[in-house]
Amino acid sequence: MDFHVRFDISDKLYLRNPEGSELGKQIVQKAIILIFDIGFEQFTFKKLASESNCTEASIYRYFENKHRLLLYILSWYWNYMEFLVNFKIMNLNDSKEKLKVVIQLLTQDLSVEFGNIEYNTHYLNQIVIAESGKGYMIKDVSELNSNEVFKPYKDLCATIASIISVYNPNYEFPHSLSTTLIEASHQQQFFSKNLPRLTDVNTVKKSDFIKLFLEDMLFKILG
Amino acid sequence: MDFHVRFDISDKLYLRNPEGSELGKQIVQKAIILIFDIGFEQFTFKKLASESNCTEASIYRYFENKHRLLLYILSWYWNYMEFLVNFKIMNLNDSKEKLKVVIQLLTQDLSVEFGNIEYNTHYLNQIVIAESGKGYMIKDVSELNSNEVFKPYKDLCATIASIISVYNPNYEFPHSLSTTLIEASHQQQFFSKNLPRLTDVNTVKKSDFIKLFLEDMLFKILG
DNA sequence: TTAGAATAGTTAGTATTACTATCATGAAAA
DNA sequence: TTTTCATGATAGTAATACTAACTATTCTAA
C-alpha cells in the first residue's frame, strides 16, 4: 500500500498555501529542520531563506511571520496525529485496545510512521514537545480566532475523549483527561530526556517508561 | 502574625541581586505587571525601563536579558509555592489531607495568600501559566546549568512526590505524577478560560472544576 | 503565439530590539 | 580629602522583523 496524505490547514495561518509550490514545501521542510536544530528563538526568516535557497522576501510571500509558520507546523502535526489515531484504531472493537493505541502513538517516536510524509516526523515530534507553548501561548491567538488555530488539537482531543466515554460512560472528565494525557506524554518525554529527576525513568525500563506511566494512570482513573 | 518571606534565587539568573536595592525590586515588580499585561514576546527592557522610571542600561545591570528575568520570576514563584505547601501541610498527619492541600494550592488563585509578598501573586500565577514554556524550553538552558534553573521546581516536585509515597508506598511513579499534577493544574486553568471545549468545565460547578478533576485523578491513581 | 496573470527574486530600505561601551554622580571608605 | 565603588545616564551598534517597489520567469488561456 502506497499513499499520500494531505491536510487542510487553516488559511488564516498562511498568505499563500505552501503546499501549492515546490518552494513552499521546501520552506516548510527546511523550517522544521532549522527549528529543530537551533530552536524557535534563534530561528529567523533570514536563516531559513539561506537554507531554502531563496530570499527573505519570498518567505514573507507565504507566511506573515515566523509565528504563523510555527502555528502552521503545529497544526499539521495535530492533523497528522489524528489521522494516525483514526487509522490505527480502525477495525478495533475493544475500546481498551483503542486507548492503548492512542498511548502508543503519543509516546512513541513518530519517525517510523507512514503516509509518505514530506516532513521529518522525528523533528516534528521534538518541535511539538519543545515549542508548542511558544506557538499557542500568545496574546494575539485570540485575535486570530483561536478556534481556527486550535481546531486540529481540539479534534484530536474530541476523538480521544469519545473513546474514553465509550470505555467508561460514567467518567465525568473525558476532555480534560484527553488533554492531560496528550500534554503529559510530551512533558514526560522532555523531562525524562533533560531532567530525569523530575520523572521516575530510572525505576523501570527506559523506553517503555512513559507508556507504562500513562497506561497505569489512564486505566486506574477509568477503572 | 506578620512576617516577610525571602528566597535565595540562583545567582546564575541575575548580574546584581534585585532584592538588594529599591530599583531592583521595582524592576521585578514592574516586570511582573508588564509581562502579565502585554505577554512575554511584546515585553522589552525599553518598556520596562519606562515603567520603572529608569533606563534600559540600568536594567541590564541587574539582568543579562529578558529571558533571565523571566527565569528569575519563575524561580521565585516555585520557591513561593513550595513555601506555601510546606507551611500549609505543617501539623497535618493525614497524607490524604496533605495532598488535598497541595491540589488546593495548585488550583486556587494565589491572590489571597500571605507572607507579605512584594509581588502581585495573581499576575505571577497567570505568568507561570502562560509563559513557563518560553522560559524553560530554550536551547541554552543546558549551558546555564539546568540544575540551577530548575531547582525550585524540582524541590517542589520532590516535596509532593514524597507525600505521594507516604500515601501509597507502592506507587511506582511519584515524581512523574507530581509534575503531571502541577502541569495539568496550569493547563486546565488556561484551557477552561480560553478553550473550554478542551475541558469539561461546563459539566460541573465552574470554580471547583479543576480541583474536582485533579482530586478524582490523584486518588483513583493512588487508590 | 502571445498577452496577462501568477510566481519568484532583487534591492533597498525602516523601525524596533537587544545589547555594549563609555561617561557621570554621589556616598562611603581610607 | 581623596579614592573607590555602586549606581545610573547617554549614546551608540548590530541584528531582527518587516515593507515597498521593481524585475524576471513561467504558466495559461484566448
Side-chain angles (χ1 to χ4, degrees), chain A residues 1-8 75-90 101-102 105 110 113-117 121 152-153 155-157 159-160:
Chain A
M1 185 170 51
D2 198 30
F3 62 97
H4 282 263
V5 281
R6 180 152 302 182
F7 308 111
D8 288 327
S75 270
W76 194 94
Y77 175 89
W78 294 116
N79 268 299
Y80 182 53
M81 186 58 90
E82 205 205 344
F83 161 78
L84 287 178
V85 167
N86 282 315
F87 196 92
K88 291 223 161 181
I89 64 175
M90 203 167 279
V101 166
V102 168
L105 284 170
L110 286 187
E113 282 312 323
F114 49 33
N116 280 338
I117 292 313
T121 47
Y153 187 90
D155 289 349
L156 176 63
C157 171
T159 297
I160 298 174

Side-chain angles (χ1 to χ4, degrees), chain B residues 167-218:
Chain B
Y167 183 79
N168 180 347
N170 297 317
Y171 182 64
E172 282 184 292
F173 313 104
H175 296 88
S176 291
L177 185 54
S178 293
T179 54
T180 300
L181 206 65
I182 294 168
E183 296 302 318
S185 75
H186 287 160
Q187 274 154 229
Q188 296 300 315
Q189 284 180 69
F190 178 80
F191 286 147
S192 59
K193 190 175 179 184
N194 299 292
L195 297 152
R197 291 282 177 82
L198 285 174
T199 71
D200 305 276
V201 68
N202 299 312
T203 61
V204 288
K205 227 177 88 211
K206 189 164 183 171
S207 59
D208 291 334
F209 153 69
I210 302 170
K211 199 179 148 184
L212 292 172
F213 167 62
L214 292 179
E215 279 187 2
D216 176 82
M217 173 172 126
L218 185 60

